[in-house]
Amino acid sequence: EAGVVQSPRYKIIEKKQPVAFWCNPISGHNTLYWYLQNLGQGPELLIRYENEEAVDDSQLPKDRFSAERLKGVDSTLKIQPAELGDSAVYLCASSLGGGFAQETQYFGPGTRLLVL
Amino acid sequence: ILNVEQSPQSLHVQEGDSTNFTCSFPSSNFYALHWYRWETAKSPEALFVMTLNGDEKKKGRISATLNTKEGYSYLYIKGSQPEDSATYLCALAGDSSYKLIFGSGTRLLVRP
């Protein structure tokens, strides 16, 4: 079974440039999550989708970050414009759905972003 | 704000050594605890989901225990191998929903 796919794996950009990350979840998984992981810290949730609906975007900095999940399958996370402090790993995860505490979230390998 | 602490931050052991590390969390906010292993350049891999006080789970040479009353979980690795080198993350579900609060991880390096 294919896992969660993310691209690109690495991205280097200059500040003020836009950047986008793509995620394809495990087939059949209704729930999709985007996490941000800063160096030396654990992942933090940015946004969660149930199918195509963003049901929790409370932690997404909406002035510069946006996300979409058209057709309820793959998803794109965008930053425009990027700032130096956005350098981090952006992780995508998916789960079957239901949003329960015991439900395993399956992660992709992440996109490592460096903003110069 | 819930705080999940992991210790130690990093650990170097010799191949063959057994080792363990700790995940601490507020005992008053517990629904489930997840353990993940994250090898460099790979995806975080789910190891265990633990829900009941006294739970003990095992996967090969790795096992985990849970004490919800005192708010901690231990992860044990028996006979560490170089391929066990990774960051081990725990994540608390502090309510009945999907929201996971991650610790900062324990970075394990196993020397051959």
Side-chain angles (χ1 to χ4, degrees):
Chain A
E1 179 185 285
V4 176
V5 179
Q6 289 188 249
S7 69
R9 294 291 305 275
Y10 305 92
K11 189 75 177 178
I12 301 174
I13 60 171
E14 295 194 345
K15 64 181 180 182
K16 300 186 183 178
Q17 294 300 305
V19 64
F21 315 124
W22 177 81
C23 172
N24 188 258
I26 293 173
S27 177
H29 281 194
N30 296 322
T31 307
L32 184 145
Y33 312 78
W34 282 103
Y35 284 88
L36 164 68
Q37 195 227 3
N38 286 305
L39 188 64
Q41 298 180 26
E44 298 175 8
L45 182 70
L46 288 172
I47 189 169
R48 171 185 166 232
Y49 282 91
E50 283 292 338
N51 299 303
E52 66 273 12
E53 184 182 356
V55 294
D56 183 356
D57 62 357
S58 57
Q59 302 302 311
L60 190 73
K62 299 182 185 62
D63 56 337
R64 296 183 301 108
F65 286 65
S66 64
E68 59 183 14
R69 191 184 184 198
L70 300 175
K71 301 180 183 177
V73 181
D74 54 350
S75 175
T76 303
L77 178 69
K78 297 178 182 176
I79 308 175
Q80 182 169 11
E83 296 179 353
L84 295 176
D86 296 330
S87 296
V89 177
Y90 292 83
L91 288 162
C92 178
S94 70
S95 64
L96 278 170
F100 302 116
Q102 306 93 313
E103 187 173 76
T104 296
Q105 297 179 24
Y106 296 87
F107 284 84
T111 296
R112 294 180 184 275
L113 174 67
L114 179 60
V115 182
L116 301 176
Chain B
I1 298 176
L2 296 179
N3 197 32
V4 177
E5 300 278 350
Q6 289 191 248
S7 62
Q9 274 192 325
S10 65
L11 193 54
H12 292 196
V13 301
Q14 205 65 36
E15 181 176 355
D17 288 349
S18 293
T19 187
N20 66 85
F21 19 95
T22 307
C23 174
S24 302
F25 52 85
S27 57
S28 56
N29 297 88
F30 179 86
Y31 276 76
L33 190 83
H34 298 246
W35 279 101
Y36 287 87
R37 173 172 61 197
W38 193 359
E39 294 179 66
T40 302
K42 294 187 177 180
S43 303
E45 173 197 357
L47 290 174
F48 307 114
V49 181
M50 310 183 80
T51 56
L52 298 175
N53 185 43
D55 248 358
E56 189 167 334
K57 298 215 171 178
K58 190 174 180 182
K59 186 176 183 177
R61 294 179 291 98
I62 303 177
S63 60
T65 59
L66 178 66
N67 184 323
T68 60
K69 295 185 177 180
E70 296 185 32
Y72 64 83
S73 176
Y74 292 143
L75 191 80
Y76 300 91
I77 303 179
K78 184 178 178 182
S80 302
Q81 299 296 309
E83 58 265 31
D84 296 328
S85 297
T87 295
Y88 292 82
L89 291 164
C90 69
L92 171 72
D95 57 35
S96 59
S97 77
Y98 57 88
K99 286 190 177 177
L100 297 182
I101 308 298
F102 281 85
S104 300
T106 293
R107 290 159 197 77
L108 174 68
L109 178 64
V110 182
R111 292 186 289 256

